[in-house]
Amino acid sequence: MHNSARRGIVRGTAAALILLSLAGLAAAQRPAQGPKFKNIELCNGVDRTSPDIQIDACTSLIDSGKQTPQTLVIAYNNRGNAYVAKGEYDRAVQDYDQSIKLNPNYSRTFNNRGVAYQKKGEYDLAIKDFDEAIRLNAEYANAFANRAQTYQHKGEYERAARDYDEATRLKPTLEAAWSGRCWSRAIVGELQAALADCNEALRLESNAAATFDSRGLIYLKLGEWDSAIADYTSALRLDPKLASSLYGRGLAKLTRGDTSEGNAELAAAKKLEPNIVEDFIRYGVR
């Protein structure tokens, strides 16, 4: 799996690129008070304490037999999102299937099912869903960003960069898209452009481990060892088990002459991620 050293599917904690679209049940459908009102609010995700709260509320609406078809479309979509949050991707796909069956023109659910497929590692199915979400809504920035990340996992970095171009054009404040394009450009060697993207991503979100990790790779490729070490250190402060940052910092320290610390960090990174050496070769670093 590509980017395995970057914590699997999601790139970092603060800058997760997977972008689920939560649908809101229309205000006109809400009574002023009572259990139904509470279930609608909870199904809409107002309580983020636990995904189970959202699942239970959406289930109550679905099972009531009193909802309009569009309410069910949204309830299935939102329950699918909650299952994704729990890591129950097969159950999420089943809910998204029901939502799409009720409304095959609802772009959000195609995007979200694509997210579930991507998390399952079924990249071609994910791309197919993102394609459909974009066909239904040509200005869907999140779907472009999610499709871009899926191309990254397939090693198709240039296609990923093109989708990130669209995502940043459509939604310039989408930090994850700037960070994702930085990573793609860093891999293919467009280092100055990548650096500008990472700087913009960090301007939008200053505590994103994945972005510091990406910029660390850029500085590593540029031979700016102190800057690489500083960025990898920032990434590890935010995510102490980010193997790619530990390995990259180890390489920078070795090159700078800190043999003992460098070797220790390389060994620690390999323990966290056995394929880390192959990952960095793929990134263009040996």
Side-chain angles (χ1 to χ4, degrees), residues 9-68:
I9 297 293
V10 179
R11 296 176 60 252
T13 302
L17 186 55
I18 294 297
L19 301 165
L20 289 169
S21 293
L22 180 67
L25 295 166
Q29 297 172 337
R30 301 176 188 173
Q33 57 187 358
K36 181 183 175 184
F37 173 77
K38 183 177 180 181
N39 282 332
I40 288 174
E41 292 298 301
L42 292 175
C43 184
N44 278 342
V46 296
D47 187 337
R48 298 290 184 175
T49 307
S50 166
D52 289 325
I53 294 172
Q54 188 175 19
I55 289 168
D56 290 344
C58 293
T59 300
S60 293
L61 293 174
I62 291 166
D63 291 347
S64 70
K66 299 177 181 178
Q67 307 306 320
T68 65

Side-chain angles (χ1 to χ4, degrees), residues 178 181-200 213-225 231-232 283-285:
W178 291 98
R181 191 170 67 179
C182 169
W183 179 245
S184 286
R185 285 174 163 173
I187 297 299
V188 300
E190 298 175 4
L191 300 181
Q192 293 304 321
L195 187 59
D197 281 345
C198 267
N199 289 341
E200 178 62 14
D213 181 75
S214 295
R215 198 170 68 176
L217 177 66
I218 295 166
Y219 285 132
L220 196 65
K221 285 189 164 188
L222 288 170
E224 299 183 21
W225 317 122
D231 271 352
Y232 283 135
Y283 304 158
V285 178

Side-chain angles (χ1 to χ4, degrees), residues 133-259:
I134 291 165
R135 186 189 71 79
L136 291 166
N137 179 2
E139 297 186 352
Y140 201 163
N142 286 12
F144 276 108
N146 286 333
R147 190 173 69 179
Q149 194 193 34
T150 310
Y151 281 132
Q152 282 182 326
H153 288 304
K154 287 169 65 70
E156 299 179 26
Y157 298 109
E158 292 182 0
R159 295 184 76 174
R162 288 198 295 270
D163 270 353
Y164 284 131
D165 289 345
E166 284 300 299
T168 55
R169 180 184 68 81
L170 292 166
K171 194 174 181 181
T173 59
L174 190 58
E175 177 274 332
W178 291 98
S179 180
R181 191 170 67 179
C182 169
W183 179 245
S184 286
R185 285 174 163 173
I187 297 299
V188 300
E190 298 175 4
L191 300 181
Q192 293 304 321
L195 187 59
D197 281 345
C198 267
N199 289 341
E200 178 62 14
L202 288 168
R203 186 187 71 80
L204 293 166
E205 172 53 67
S206 60
N207 289 313
T211 309
F212 280 116
D213 181 75
S214 295
R215 198 170 68 176
L217 177 66
I218 295 166
Y219 285 132
L220 196 65
K221 285 189 164 188
L222 288 170
E224 299 183 21
W225 317 122
D226 289 342
S227 294
I229 289 169
D231 271 352
Y232 283 135
T233 299
S234 294
L236 289 164
R237 175 177 52 82
L238 294 162
D239 186 351
K241 292 187 177 181
L242 190 54
S244 54
S245 286
L246 197 56
Y247 190 83
R249 190 172 69 178
L251 286 177
K253 286 183 176 181
L254 274 180
T255 307
R256 202 176 61 172
D258 299 335
T259 306

Side-chain angles (χ1 to χ4, degrees), residues 54-170:
Q54 188 175 19
I55 289 168
D56 290 344
C58 293
T59 300
S60 293
L61 293 174
I62 291 166
D63 291 347
S64 70
K66 299 177 181 178
Q67 307 306 320
T68 65
Q70 186 55 24
T71 298
L72 290 173
V73 167
I74 294 171
Y76 276 117
N77 175 79
N78 290 356
R79 192 172 70 175
N81 291 355
Y83 280 130
V84 167
K86 288 189 72 176
E88 297 182 18
Y89 306 127
D90 289 332
R91 296 184 75 174
V93 168
Q94 290 172 7
D95 271 354
Y96 294 139
D97 288 346
Q98 289 300 313
S99 181
I100 289 168
K101 188 184 214 178
L102 289 162
N103 185 355
N105 296 311
Y106 195 49
S107 60
R108 287 185 178 185
T109 309
F110 280 102
N111 173 74
N112 295 341
R113 191 173 68 178
V115 167
Y117 280 135
Q118 197 211 85
K119 285 179 172 286
K120 281 164 57 68
E122 298 180 14
Y123 300 139
D124 290 338
L125 287 175
I127 288 171
K128 184 177 178 182
D129 272 351
F130 296 137
D131 287 347
E132 183 63 11
I134 291 165
R135 186 189 71 79
L136 291 166
N137 179 2
E139 297 186 352
Y140 201 163
N142 286 12
F144 276 108
N146 286 333
R147 190 173 69 179
Q149 194 193 34
T150 310
Y151 281 132
Q152 282 182 326
H153 288 304
K154 287 169 65 70
E156 299 179 26
Y157 298 109
E158 292 182 0
R159 295 184 76 174
R162 288 198 295 270
D163 270 353
Y164 284 131
D165 289 345
E166 284 300 299
T168 55
R169 180 184 68 81
L170 292 166

